[in-house]
Amino acid sequence: MKIHRAHIFRAVAWTVTATALASTLSLGPVHATEPACPPAEPQQKPAPTCPAPSADKQAAKKQAAKKQAAKKQAAKKQAAKKQAAKKQAAEREAARKQAAEREAARKQAAEREAARKQAAEKQAAKKQAAKKPRPKKQAARKQTTKRPPGCPPCQTAPKKQAAKKPSTKKPSTKKPSAKKPSAQDPSAQRPPAAKRPPAKRPPAKRPPAKKPPAQKKQLKKDHGWSWEGLYIDAADLRKVNVFLARAKKAERTISPQVRSIARRTNATMVGFDNRLRSPDSVKRAVARTMQGNPTMTADEALGRINDSVRYILQWPDKSYVKGVKDTTKLLEVWKNDNLRWSNTWARPRGYKGINTAWRANNSGHPYELQFHTPKSRAAQRKSRALYEEAHSPRATSQRRAQLQGQMNRIYATVPCPAGSQLLNGPRRRST
């Protein structure tokens, strides 16, 4: 029994020492009460439950990057909003300035019109004052006849008025008052002396008062033309009217030729209803040229106007060059002289197209032909109002520069047909 116990004690000692060695080599000291665990299980359990420190850092970095991107986007949006607000403010200021300029121009025009009206009123007052002294003299003469009481003709003057009063004022009650003193006063009963003066003085002095209105009517017929500071006197206005009548007569022979050209060259005629320039437009052009050159006459100013009759021919971009060449050949065959050839396709800015002037073979009157593409014609329509405003006498230099910039932007979108820059007009014949 003693031997058996010794073996058991030894076995227990060996197991304790073995477990102690194993714990020191693998996981350190092991408590005797806790059961021994295999080395593989504690390494597998913490992996799924606890996240690695590297994943936390990456998630934090991602969140920080997202925050920075959101901040940048917000800053960009704020900057864009500020820029838009600045643009809107600049546009509003420009609109206010334009409105102020227009109001100032309107006020100036109103002041000018008021000054003209005042000058006209002063002139009319002067004319009336020059014409009024005649009746005043007559009244003075009548008063002088009434003042002296002793002379017999002066006593007859009141009898004239008494004789005229019943004709004008029949229902008045002054008749009995006039008859009573006639019966009492012996001086009033002198009919032979009262009959002499009425035949001499009144009829000779009344007719001149009717002549001034007849002269005024004649002056109204011989008036001139004026518009916004531009003026044409009566003599020059007659010349302009003769020129307009000649243009209207010449159009009847020019239009058939232009229509036949459009049919032969496959062109479309644009704005044929407005082929005659308006009379007011011609008068404005004449007044501007004469105002710019004070020594120029009305005949010379009318000689510079070549577009009193005008036409527009339009072709697509592909057939534009051929259409222009064919029209010039036909016009030369029909003996129409070339007066002007303006090709603006080569310009970097401004108007795009070809404007030509010709002299008709039948009437000898000048007329204008414009050669366009669909896009150049559309740009011309858009910039028409800007062109008229820029050439008005009210426009200032700054406003004209703004309008020219807008027209340049409109014409910058027009493409140039191939070969249109090299198109030249025929040689001019000696007139």
Side-chain angles (χ1 to χ4, degrees), residues 399-412:
R399 181 58 180 165
R400 287 175 184 171
Q402 292 177 358
L403 295 170
Q404 188 62 40
Q406 292 179 7
M407 287 190 284
N408 292 335
R409 294 190 201 97
I410 291 169
Y411 283 110

Side-chain angles (χ1 to χ4, degrees), residues 52-126:
S54 60
D56 294 336
K57 290 180 181 179
Q58 289 178 359
K61 287 180 180 180
K62 288 180 180 179
Q63 290 179 357
K66 287 180 180 179
K67 289 179 181 179
Q68 289 179 358
K71 288 179 181 179
K72 288 180 180 179
Q73 289 180 356
K76 287 180 180 179
K77 288 180 180 179
Q78 290 179 358
K81 288 180 181 179
K82 289 180 181 179
Q83 290 179 357
K86 288 180 180 179
K87 288 181 180 178
Q88 290 178 356
E91 290 177 355
R92 289 174 183 173
E93 289 179 359
R96 288 175 185 174
K97 288 180 181 179
Q98 291 178 0
E101 289 177 358
R102 290 177 183 173
E103 288 180 358
R106 289 176 183 174
K107 288 181 181 178
Q108 290 178 359
E111 290 176 357
R112 289 176 185 172
E113 289 179 358
R116 289 175 191 168
K117 289 180 180 179
Q118 289 178 359
E121 289 176 358
K122 287 180 181 179
Q123 290 179 358
K126 287 180 181 178

Side-chain angles (χ1 to χ4, degrees), residues 344-395:
T344 58
W345 285 109
R347 290 182 184 176
R349 297 177 182 176
Y351 179 80
K352 296 292 179 67
I354 298 175
N355 291 359
T356 63
W358 303 81
R359 190 180 297 281
N361 58 349
N362 295 326
S363 61
H365 191 80
Y367 65 95
E368 186 184 39
L369 266 178
Q370 296 182 9
F371 305 137
H372 279 287
T373 61
K375 291 185 179 180
S376 66
R377 174 59 182 166
Q380 186 184 22
R381 288 179 180 173
K382 288 181 182 178
S383 62
R384 183 64 184 174
L386 302 174
Y387 178 82
E388 290 179 355
E389 186 179 355
H391 284 76
S392 66
R394 294 181 179 179

Side-chain angles (χ1 to χ4, degrees), residues 153-232:
C154 295
Q155 293 175 358
T156 57
K159 286 185 179 180
K160 293 176 188 178
Q161 294 177 358
K164 291 178 183 178
K165 283 178 182 178
S167 62
T168 56
K169 299 180 180 179
K170 292 180 180 180
S172 62
T173 58
K174 292 181 181 179
K175 288 181 180 179
S177 65
K179 290 178 181 179
K180 288 179 182 178
S182 64
Q184 294 175 0
D185 297 332
S187 61
Q189 295 178 356
R190 291 180 183 178
K195 293 180 181 179
R196 291 177 183 177
K200 293 180 181 179
R201 292 179 182 176
K205 292 179 181 179
R206 288 179 182 175
K210 296 181 180 179
K211 290 181 181 179
Q215 291 178 358
K216 287 181 181 179
K217 290 180 181 178
Q218 291 177 0
L219 291 170
K220 286 180 180 178
K221 292 179 182 178
D222 297 335
H223 67 280
W225 177 85
S226 62
W227 180 79
E228 291 186 359
L230 301 175
Y231 178 74
I232 300 174

Side-chain angles (χ1 to χ4, degrees), residues 404-425:
Q404 188 62 40
Q406 292 179 7
M407 287 190 284
N408 292 335
R409 294 190 201 97
I410 291 169
Y411 283 110
T413 59
V414 178
C416 181
S420 61
Q421 298 175 357
L422 304 175
L423 290 171
N424 294 322

